[in-house]
Amino acid sequence: MKTIKLHDKEFKPFISEQQIDAAVTKMAQDVANDLGDEVPVFIGILNGSFMLVSDFVKKYPKPCEVTFIKLASYEGVKSTEDIQRLIGLTQDLTGRTVVILEDIIDTGNTLHEIHRIFKNENVKQLIIATLFYKPEAYKKDFKLHYVGIEIPNKFIVGYGLDYDGLGRDLPAVYQLKTTQHMTNLVLFGPPGAGKGTQANFLKEKYNLVHISTGDVFRFNIKNETALGMLAKSYMDKGELVPDQVTIDMLNAEVEKNADANGFIFDGFPRTNAQAEALDKLMDTKDSQINAMIALEVDDEVLVQRLLERGKSSGRADDADESIIRNRIKEYYNKTAILKDYYSAQDKYFGVDGVGSIEEITERLCAVIDKL
Ligand code: IMP
Ligand code: MG
């Protein structure tokens, strides 16, 4: 799932369809177990609850009645308490067990109105069930008999809930993003593809911070930071540095550059687990990885480029053709899974890495400008 835009605001994925389904299933079962042979009248509060009610009653394992009401503010009436009027309650509910199905309970003002309205209906019992509940925002004492999912006091959309009319149709729930928009890239390319050169152009043009995991490691170890020492202790034993240690280092880098327009990650992630960890890290920053951009260069071109470089640089690993070919092969073995990981999210962009430096920069910019 990706960040979405409704009107002027951005929202990030927050609660999945599966999580919602599980919560609705559980609520329906709990209510059914508690009500025994009673045939309840489920009352959805429109508009927000239409999706919940539809799913809920399909999961309700016993006979039930379903109806909807709507609360509307009186137009033009000014009062301290926003007294609402009721639309749609035509049925006699005397002696009935009524279960209010709410999409969300926030301050509890709506619930207050519901209690006021139902005081005169002589119902047998008034039961409140809400899919979402914001405990930090709730200011009333009315009992909430069934709560699906407790959420923090942040604005959400989807599954019936709207932001200024939009978003009700979304099958999952998204949360309002409160930080500025960032462009975060994972840059890939086989050895000799010109990644370093291009990263330098991109960070200038888009005001991004280039985070090369190799540099971050060397910096932390050289400066003997706590994380650097921790990483070194694994390396000295000949063990791989755990992903969490690397992620903690990257987190420190991201936090050092909190006002950046975004980041170029270089050399990380290398595995699915690392890609997931990076997604989680970006999520804690109310952000996300927008794209994996891979420079694509034909093997033969790479071999020629690296052999050329070897002649002048004297780098031993650039002098031997079979070592070069092996490094290129390694690269494709390692990055194939990541290509799949980001492709599955529509975030993989292959860019032709053959041409002049300016031509390649232009191709990269064309991708980034569309993100
Ligand atoms: P109350 O504050 O409990 O009375 O909630 C009032 C109404 O505000 C709810 O019925 C929703 O229509 C709306 N609402 C509260 N929180 C949210 C939210 O996070 N997203 C969308 N609508 C919300
Ligand atoms: Mg509502």
Side-chain angles (χ1 to χ4, degrees):
M1 291 207 296
K2 276 189 176 184
T3 294
I4 55 164
K5 193 157 185 223
L6 301 175
H7 298 296
D8 56 329
K9 299 250 187 298
E10 281 197 276
F11 295 83
K12 61 175 180 169
F14 180 49
I15 302 173
S16 69
E17 285 186 69
Q18 288 79 3
Q19 287 170 294
I20 294 170
D21 189 74
V24 176
T25 304
K26 180 165 190 309
M27 278 214 292
Q29 277 163 2
D30 288 349
V31 174
N33 288 342
D34 294 346
L35 290 187
D37 293 334
E38 198 87 42
V39 175
V41 184
F42 290 117
I43 301 187
I45 313 298
L46 290 173
N47 291 327
S49 75
F50 75 97
M51 212 178 266
L52 166 68
V53 175
S54 168
D55 286 344
F56 183 99
V57 296
K58 279 180 274 184
K59 292 173 187 296
Y60 195 74
K62 291 190 271 189
C64 63
E65 292 179 30
V66 192
T67 188
F68 289 91
I69 59 173
K70 186 169 174 131
L71 298 174
S73 297
Y74 285 103
E75 300 264 327
V77 177
K78 289 226 168 63
S79 73
T80 41
E81 284 251 327
D82 183 24
I83 306 287
Q84 302 198 300
R85 80 200 150 93
L86 177 69
I87 303 170
L89 191 58
T90 48
Q91 199 175 345
D92 181 12
L93 294 171
T94 308
R96 299 299 301 273
T97 288
V98 168
V99 181
I100 300 293
L101 291 179
E102 264 286 31
D103 45 346
I104 191 165
I105 292 180
D106 184 355
T107 62
N109 288 342
T110 309
L111 191 56
H112 183 101
E113 285 304 296
I114 291 167
H115 275 276
R116 194 181 57 78
I117 288 159
F118 279 86
K119 236 181 9 227
N120 308 318
E121 295 292 327
N122 302 315
V123 301
K124 181 174 164 190
Q125 47 180 341
L126 184 66
I127 294 170
I128 309 299
T130 184
L131 177 58
F132 300 116
Y133 169 49
K134 296 179 182 169
E136 296 152 24
Y138 192 56
K139 291 197 200 75
K140 308 284 176 184
D141 296 321
F142 305 111
K143 184 174 164 63
L144 309 180
H145 302 81
Y146 302 93
V147 171
I149 302 174
E150 287 193 4
I151 58 170
N153 191 10
K154 288 194 176 170
F155 193 79
I156 59 171
V157 292
Y159 202 71
L161 294 161
D162 73 309
Y163 165 53
D164 198 9
L166 294 180
R168 291 195 198 279
D169 54 316
L170 300 167
V173 164
Y174 295 74
Q175 190 181 58
L176 179 66
K177 277 173 62 162
T178 43
T179 54
Q180 55 161 349
H181 179 81
M182 291 202 280
T183 301
N184 300 304
L185 311 172
V186 171
L187 189 60
F188 267 90
K195 222 172 24 144
T197 312
Q198 294 300 334
N200 277 336
F201 279 109
L202 297 181
K203 75 177 195 200
E204 289 301 320
K205 172 152 188 202
Y206 295 98
N207 187 23
L208 305 177
V209 173
H210 181 196
I211 300 186
S212 149
T213 330
D215 292 345
V216 172
F217 260 92
R218 282 186 286 274
F219 173 87
N220 277 277
I221 291 173
K222 181 161 162 268
N223 291 285
E224 302 190 343
T225 68
L227 286 167
M229 301 299 278
L230 185 58
K232 194 166 178 296
S233 72
Y234 287 97
M235 290 152 87
D236 287 347
K237 281 181 280 179
E239 289 170 18
L240 285 176
V241 178
D243 287 349
Q244 195 52 50
V245 177
T246 311
I247 280 285
D248 288 346
M249 284 190 206
L250 294 183
N251 185 32
E253 287 305 305
V254 170
E255 293 202 329
K256 263 191 239 166
N257 298 287
D259 55 351
N261 281 349
F263 297 90
I264 302 174
F265 293 97
D266 178 354
F268 191 92
R270 291 269 166 97
T271 63
N272 258 327
Q274 291 180 347
E276 280 166 18
L278 184 60
D279 279 349
K280 285 213 187 87
L281 169 63
M282 295 324 286
D283 194 51
T284 65
K285 307 286 178 251
D286 254 6
S287 195
Q288 62 175 345
I289 296 296
N290 303 88
M292 168 184 177
I293 303 185
L295 287 171
E296 293 170 344
V297 183
D298 185 78
D299 287 8
E300 298 315 312
V301 177
L302 288 177
V303 171
Q304 287 319 310
R305 275 192 199 170
L306 288 172
L307 284 173
E308 276 303 310
R309 189 166 88 179
K311 277 186 208 154
S312 52
S313 76
R315 258 177 74 167
D317 57 349
D318 282 352
D320 182 319
E321 183 167 335
S322 70
I323 293 179
I324 291 175
R325 287 196 187 275
N326 209 38
R327 276 163 61 204
I328 296 172
K329 213 173 98 201
E330 273 283 278
Y331 166 82
Y332 284 109
N333 286 342
K334 288 221 174 97
T335 52
I337 15 165
L338 291 163
K339 183 174 175 179
D340 293 346
Y341 182 90
Y342 289 107
S343 294
Q345 303 179 39
D346 284 333
K347 290 180 181 172
Y348 176 85
F349 300 89
V351 169
D352 181 3
V354 182
S356 70
I357 291 175
E358 295 76 28
E359 280 168 348
I360 299 165
T361 309
E362 259 172 51
R363 290 178 202 144
L364 289 168
C365 294
V367 171
I368 296 170
D369 290 339
K370 270 190 250 148
L371 290 176

